[in-house]
Amino acid sequence: MKLLHKDIEKDNAGQVTLVPEEAEDMWHTYNLLQVGDSLRASTIRKVQTESTTGSVGSSRVRTTLTLCVETIDFDSQACQLRVKGTNIEENQYVKMGAYHTIELELNRKFTLAKKNWDSVQACDAAQKADVAAVVMQEGLANLVLVTPAMTLLRAKVEVTIPRKRRGSCTQHEKALERFYEAVMQAILRHINFDVVKCVLVGSPGFVKDQFITYLYKEAVRQDNKLLLENRPKFMLVHSSSGHKYSLKEILCDPTVTSRLSDTKAAGEVKALEDFYKMLQHEPDRAFYGVAHVEKAADVLAIDTLLISDKLFRYARRDLTQLSGVAAILRFPIADLSEPEDESSSDDD
């Protein structure tokens, strides 16, 4: 997220002008927006026109509107953010008080005004990514940063690798070297080793091993101190392919979760795993559903609270089947296991 302008008063009222530059920025914007905020952005409006002959037609025009925010709809799969509200500034196409929906777009600025800004920071998403991953296969690699919110694709490397020919592997080996070089440059360009604690390198077969051998050899040849000093951060793991979806299986690998035990991303995965283990082995210390969790909170029994974006603005979807909220308790409470009353069914 790029910050273009900031005007915040001493009472924390004011506005900022931002430009979302990547998909994750839409998620951060979603977390910034609140009902009652003022949002100014470029949008498309369908307007009716009347000709001199009296015939009526319609056309779509681009205009800039300022809305008082009423509803916020975020599609986490498509990373699309739609904001509906009433127009609060004079506009030649839209009457004051008329409803309109703005769909915020990547690389198009918007201005957000609040009566009270808190300390939420949205412009340093990559600075929160303490895990990086390279999933690869021959000729394909995806470099991803893992943040507390979601995975962020930083680079995709594709190089055509000719097949080995009988009696000659020259073209095959040259193409592999170009591929490995491109992946190495992507790592140098997109990974901040001051923040990243672990770099996962996954592939089927021996592709990962061959790449790491190339990486270290080149680091020594070029006297690249950055790679040499951060060599312990690289971890080789198995993945079924070089496609981005293989990252999920890597992060579920027990050896990986053990290595990442002190990172933010792994902390979220571990919390959910701990909940399911507790639910299986000590059910009186694991509860889900709003009513049960509220009762546990009333007696100060909650040790770990898990909330999905169904009830709080969060990108992880694993809790939706648990009514959106779950808790691990400090001590068992047997009577909480009774069925929830009907008043809580609407929360599911």
Side-chain angles (χ1 to χ4, degrees):
M1 186 94 76
K2 182 184 293 183
L3 176 63
L4 297 183
H5 179 72
K6 179 181 178 181
D7 183 16
I8 307 296
E9 302 294 334
K10 290 183 179 180
D11 62 355
N12 289 329
Q15 63 183 32
V16 296
T17 300
L18 302 165
V19 178
E21 298 179 301
E22 52 201 7
E24 181 162 324
D25 291 342
M26 290 300 184
W27 184 85
H28 287 288
T29 303
Y30 172 62
N31 281 279
L32 285 175
L33 284 165
Q34 299 287 339
V35 172
D37 289 348
S38 170
L39 177 69
R40 181 176 177 82
S42 176
T43 184
I44 300 294
R45 178 76 173 188
K46 186 177 180 181
V47 298
Q48 287 190 335
T49 56
E50 185 174 346
S51 68
T52 54
T53 61
S55 60
V56 177
S58 64
S59 61
R60 294 167 62 84
V61 298
R62 180 168 287 278
T63 186
T64 299
L65 290 180
T66 303
L67 304 182
C68 179
V69 177
E70 290 194 9
T71 59
I72 307 157
D73 179 28
F74 179 57
D75 183 342
S76 62
Q77 301 300 315
C79 281
Q80 292 180 335
L81 181 57
R82 297 180 181 87
V83 182
K84 182 179 179 181
T86 54
N87 181 36
I88 57 175
E89 286 189 5
E90 287 290 342
N91 183 278
Q92 67 181 106
Y93 302 111
V94 185
K95 295 179 180 179
M96 292 282 287
Y99 278 96
H100 183 80
T101 299
I102 292 177
E103 182 172 324
L104 294 180
E105 304 174 47
L106 291 178
N107 301 308
R108 191 178 292 277
K109 70 178 182 179
F110 65 88
T111 299
L112 179 62
K114 289 177 173 288
K115 295 178 180 177
N116 183 31
W117 283 89
D118 58 22
S119 60
V120 173
Q121 300 295 320
C123 299
D124 61 347
Q127 297 303 314
K128 302 174 185 176
D130 54 0
V131 178
V134 180
V135 286
M136 60 195 310
Q137 61 191 53
E138 279 199 359
L140 173 65
N142 284 280
L143 190 155
V144 176
L145 298 181
V146 184
T147 76
M150 60 176 69
T151 56
L152 181 61
L153 180 65
R154 280 303 195 193
K156 184 175 184 179
V157 178
E158 291 183 283
V159 174
T160 301
I161 309 293
R163 291 184 178 181
K164 293 181 180 180
R165 294 183 179 181
R166 183 176 298 178
S168 175
C169 299
T170 304
Q171 296 302 316
H172 176 82
E173 291 174 354
K174 285 184 177 179
L176 271 181
E177 188 165 319
R178 289 196 304 272
F179 172 58
Y180 293 151
E181 170 66 18
V183 176
M184 183 179 76
Q185 292 304 320
I187 288 173
L188 292 171
R189 188 178 307 114
H190 296 290
I191 293 181
N192 182 351
F193 285 99
D194 291 334
V195 177
V196 169
K197 297 177 181 177
C198 181
V199 182
L200 304 170
V201 182
S203 80
F206 295 101
V207 177
K208 59 185 181 299
D209 306 87
Q210 294 167 356
F211 168 68
I212 287 296
T213 298
Y214 172 88
L215 183 72
Y216 295 154
K217 181 180 177 181
E218 283 298 298
V220 172
R221 186 181 71 83
Q222 299 176 17
D223 192 26
N224 189 312
K225 291 183 172 57
L226 182 66
L227 289 176
L228 294 174
E229 291 172 357
N230 287 282
R231 181 170 180 168
K233 294 183 178 180
F234 286 83
M235 179 181 182
L236 300 186
V237 292
H238 173 78
S239 69
S240 59
S241 77
H243 296 280
K244 185 182 173 184
Y245 61 75
S246 294
L247 180 63
K248 184 175 182 180
E249 66 183 77
I250 289 176
L251 292 175
C252 290
D253 187 314
T255 58
V256 172
T257 54
S258 175
R259 171 71 180 271
L260 304 185
S261 59
D262 61 342
T263 69
K264 304 184 195 78
E268 297 170 7
V269 175
K270 185 177 184 302
L272 195 60
E273 290 178 348
D274 288 348
F275 173 80
Y276 281 116
K277 287 179 182 177
M278 193 69 73
L279 189 65
Q280 182 178 2
H281 299 293
E282 295 185 64
D284 288 346
R285 288 185 57 201
F287 289 92
Y288 59 90
V290 175
H292 285 159
V293 173
E294 284 182 343
K295 289 178 183 177
D298 288 341
V299 294
L300 305 179
I302 294 178
D303 183 38
T304 304
L305 179 65
L306 300 92
I307 305 177
S308 79
D309 62 350
K310 194 173 184 181
L311 298 178
F312 186 73
R313 297 179 174 181
Y314 203 70
R316 183 168 296 281
R317 295 281 175 176
D318 304 73
L319 283 173
T320 52
Q321 59 183 321
L322 301 179
S323 303
V325 62
I328 299 173
L329 308 189
R330 295 188 181 93
F331 48 83
I333 305 179
D335 57 351
L336 276 188
S337 59
E338 297 175 0
E340 294 186 7
D341 55 37
E342 292 183 0
S343 64
S344 65
S345 62
D346 292 337
D347 295 320
D348 293 341

